[in-house]
Amino acid sequence: MRNFKNEMENLTKELVKIPSINNTAGEVDIANKIYGYIQEFEYFKKNKQYLWQQKLKNDPLGRFNVIALIRGEKSPSNKTIILHGHTDTVGVEDFGELAAYAFDPDALEEKLKERRLDKEVEEDLMSGDWMFGRGTNDMKAGLAAHLILFKEISKHVDKLSGNIIFMCNPVEENQHTGIIEAIDLLEELKIEEKLEYMVAINNDYTTAMSPNDTNRYIYLGAVGKLLPCYYIVGKETHVGQCFEGLDPNLIAAELVRLINLNSELCDEYGGEYTLPPAALKLTDLKKDYNVQTPLESYVYFNYFLHDISVEEVTEILLKKGEIAFANVKQYLEKQYLSYCTKTSQPYVPLKWKQRVTKYEDLYSKVKGKLGEELDLILNEMTEKMKAEHRDPRAIGLELVKKVKALSGDGDPEVILFYSPPYCPHNTLKEDNKELIKIIQKTADIVGKEYGETIKLMQFFPSLSDSSYLKIDDEESSIHRLINNFPSYQQIYNVPVKRIKEMNIPAVNFGTYGKDAHKSTERVYKPYTFEVLPRLILTTIETILEFDVGVNKNEKFI
């Protein structure tokens, strides 16, 4: 069988050269490139009905998913494997003066040789085994592997029992809109083409788990993510009477101290732990300078999940809110008493009432007062802000602020709610035993063939589109999330019910590289262009009884 290594490397460079930065027109450019590439397959010249451009709804950039279906002709079978990945990248601000070369691996390599680099980076650069550039590792080399294999399979449909779907999606690096909207078409194809989805193989980047880790990894699921937010209402005052107010920034800062990188909040399942929650934003909501202390603050966190329910997370975060409020009250009392002692002023204990509320309780309270009028107000606000293309997190905050205002209660309060994105967690479990055995055997065989140790892990540790193909959350957990997620249906309507019904096993084989989202991002060519395609093809061969005559005693590449 012919050698694909050079073809995969060249296609990776072609894809990298398209600057498909998230939320730019480049996401359309790369989708057009991939669509045109597949369009030239002889199979799709004869079967145009199996190639789709699925435009994202109300997308200002006109972005779209590319989805293509190859139907095997060896013998009738509904078994279907999905090969998928995302097309967008993060920006290149971190490249500094080399930003102009970030999407040109060859030119970037020459420029890097002129610079002083860390020892490890320099060694990788001089070895010739690594391709540098934005998107090389995350994840255009992975897309190239899928595309080359998809092309080769299209030439041998007479030897394929079953079906292969290729799918690439935009908007992975923030909202995951592409994969979420692709659920519509995947569900439609399942019904109309009578497909049985056996597994979806993502090729998002993988990397070492620690500095001296030489293992390679296949992930049998995806970590989940919540974005818990706190809207904190204090009490304003003139800075000249600072102890007469309640600074919400103090509570926000205490929340960060209690939650940020707190390893006690890592979620464990099957011996694997998530990373701890991490603060992503902390700000007060003053728009201009004046000598009034802040009235409102806002903080939100990235919260990874393996198995914990939203109900449990909500209770944990409410408790943290109560502790933060109590600690701030104690701190203020101590500082005010110290100040009064120093200045010989009479001390009167501060009387702030501690109150921490989840959004659904605040909403219910106001709904009882206003009835359906509340929903009309919130719906109108949501649609107006969506039309203005406001950040979804800002929309959620404005809705919570409005409900608080409509409550008529101006007293200090900490309000907990959720904002997008919500990434469901999933992994292969008891009902996927046979698939796990196939992947394990493939990893063992191919690993031995190439001298690699390939380990199976339960959860891809970074955020991934694989989250939206299978959901392990219970209904009660999802219910708790939606109830505390302002305008969920309008802002971030993940079709959880349909995803749970399709329940597509979602795994990540992935490129291997280093420094994703850094200026030294690079992909390891020997593994990505040789071992990875062999892993994917062997899995396809096993599940779909596909054999294109590869001599099992020789390397595929």
Side-chain angles (χ1 to χ4, degrees), residues 84-89 138-139 143 169 172-173 202 204 465:
H84 73 106
H86 69 87
T87 52
D88 56 326
T89 74
D138 184 15
M139 55 161 286
L143 283 173
N169 313 102
E172 189 268 357
E173 294 292 357
N202 197 350
D204 215 335
D465 275 348

Side-chain angles (χ1 to χ4, degrees), residues 54-60 63 177 181 184 498:
Q54 183 195 27
K55 293 190 178 297
L56 303 191
K57 299 167 188 172
N58 304 312
D59 186 67
R63 290 171 288 192
T177 313
E181 295 197 14
D184 290 341
R498 287 185 291 138

Side-chain angles (χ1 to χ4, degrees), residues 120-403:
E120 182 181 352
V121 176
E122 184 176 16
E123 288 176 353
D124 289 348
L125 177 66
M126 301 311 294
S127 73
D129 285 337
W130 298 79
M131 182 190 295
F132 286 71
R134 174 62 78 233
T136 51
N137 191 29
D138 184 15
M139 55 161 286
K140 291 180 179 178
L143 283 173
H146 275 340
L147 283 166
I148 295 295
L149 291 177
F150 193 61
K151 182 178 181 180
E152 188 64 21
I153 290 168
S154 75
K155 300 174 183 177
H156 301 281
V157 291
D158 59 321
K159 298 175 182 177
L160 174 66
S161 297
N163 317 285
I164 305 286
I165 285 177
F166 170 84
M167 174 175 68
C168 64
N169 313 102
V171 209
E172 189 268 357
E173 294 292 357
N174 56 9
Q175 293 290 100
H176 303 275
T177 313
I179 188 71
I180 291 171
E181 295 197 14
I183 297 302
D184 290 341
L185 186 51
L186 290 177
E187 184 179 46
E188 183 182 320
L189 289 174
K190 179 180 179 180
I191 296 169
E192 293 184 359
E193 299 291 332
K194 297 180 173 58
L195 305 180
E196 179 186 0
Y197 294 129
M198 307 302 294
V199 65
I201 301 174
N202 197 350
N203 259 351
D204 215 335
Y205 80 94
T206 70
T207 192
M209 302 291 283
S210 60
N212 297 315
D213 182 14
T214 59
N215 297 314
R216 310 296 184 235
Y217 296 97
I218 291 175
Y219 295 95
L220 304 180
V223 67
K225 171 204 172 112
L226 297 173
L227 194 80
C229 311
Y230 291 94
Y231 169 55
I232 306 154
V233 180
K235 193 67 175 178
E236 78 284 4
T237 187
H238 191 287
V239 74
Q241 291 88 41
C242 55
F243 284 109
E244 294 180 10
L246 176 60
D247 184 358
N249 285 344
L250 276 175
I251 300 175
E254 184 64 6
L255 282 166
V256 170
R257 190 187 71 82
L258 291 169
I259 297 171
N260 192 36
L261 306 183
N262 183 349
S263 61
E264 291 182 0
L265 300 180
C266 296
D267 184 27
E268 182 271 341
Y269 179 80
E272 291 183 25
Y273 289 84
T274 65
L275 287 164
L280 295 178
K281 189 176 184 67
L282 170 61
T283 183
D284 64 48
L285 302 179
K286 284 182 67 172
K287 291 182 170 54
D288 302 297
Y289 169 80
N290 58 41
V291 290
Q292 183 187 62
T293 60
L295 173 63
E296 307 160 297
S297 291
Y298 174 51
V299 58
Y300 58 68
F301 299 86
N302 184 90
Y303 202 116
F304 284 135
L305 320 170
H306 276 173
D307 194 55
I308 190 171
S309 70
V310 179
E311 297 153 302
E312 293 173 280
V313 172
T314 300
E315 290 307 311
I316 288 170
L317 294 175
L318 284 172
K319 184 65 176 176
K320 293 298 183 187
E322 290 167 0
I323 294 171
F325 208 140
N327 288 351
V328 166
K329 283 176 60 182
Q330 185 178 24
Y331 172 79
L332 286 174
E333 289 282 2
K334 180 180 178 181
Q335 297 307 319
Y336 185 44
L337 176 59
S338 174
Y339 174 76
C340 290
T341 301
K342 286 180 178 180
T343 59
S344 300
Q345 293 185 18
Y347 166 72
V348 179
L350 301 175
K351 296 182 179 180
W352 300 118
K353 181 180 178 182
Q354 182 176 321
R355 189 162 48 168
V356 180
T357 309
K358 56 181 182 288
Y359 174 73
E360 66 177 310
D361 292 339
L362 178 66
Y363 171 85
S364 296
K365 175 183 172 182
V366 179
K367 183 72 177 283
K369 179 173 138 183
L370 298 181
E372 296 302 319
E373 182 184 355
L374 175 61
D375 293 330
L376 292 174
I377 291 170
L378 297 181
N379 289 342
E380 184 179 347
M381 283 181 63
T382 302
E383 291 305 319
K384 182 175 184 296
M385 288 187 282
K386 282 176 62 180
E388 296 168 350
H389 303 296
R390 295 279 298 277
D391 181 88
R393 285 143 293 278
I395 295 176
L397 173 61
E398 291 302 319
L399 296 174
V400 175
K401 288 175 64 177
K402 185 65 174 180
V403 178

Side-chain angles (χ1 to χ4, degrees), residues 33-154:
K33 164 73 176 177
I34 291 172
Y35 184 86
Y37 179 86
I38 296 173
Q39 208 172 25
E40 293 302 309
F41 296 4
E42 288 301 320
Y43 180 85
F44 289 104
K45 288 179 180 179
K46 298 175 183 176
N47 297 278
K48 295 179 181 179
Q49 74 276 18
Y50 288 146
L51 177 59
W52 298 272
Q53 289 180 321
Q54 183 195 27
K55 293 190 178 297
L56 303 191
K57 299 167 188 172
N58 304 312
D59 186 67
L61 295 172
R63 290 171 288 192
F64 59 90
N65 296 315
V66 177
I67 301 179
L69 169 65
I70 292 173
R71 301 226 57 161
E73 298 174 357
K74 180 180 178 181
S75 60
S77 175
N78 297 328
K79 291 182 178 180
T80 304
I81 292 175
I82 300 171
L83 307 177
H84 73 106
H86 69 87
T87 52
D88 56 326
T89 74
V90 294
V92 294
E93 295 82 4
D94 52 327
F95 279 80
E97 61 185 24
L98 294 183
Y101 306 96
F103 295 106
D104 188 336
D106 292 333
L108 179 62
E109 182 176 326
E110 294 306 312
K111 288 294 179 180
L112 287 172
K113 288 177 180 177
E114 301 171 2
R115 299 175 70 87
R116 184 176 179 180
L117 303 168
D118 290 342
K119 182 181 178 182
E120 182 181 352
V121 176
E122 184 176 16
E123 288 176 353
D124 289 348
L125 177 66
M126 301 311 294
S127 73
D129 285 337
W130 298 79
M131 182 190 295
F132 286 71
R134 174 62 78 233
T136 51
N137 191 29
D138 184 15
M139 55 161 286
K140 291 180 179 178
L143 283 173
H146 275 340
L147 283 166
I148 295 295
L149 291 177
F150 193 61
K151 182 178 181 180
E152 188 64 21
I153 290 168
S154 75

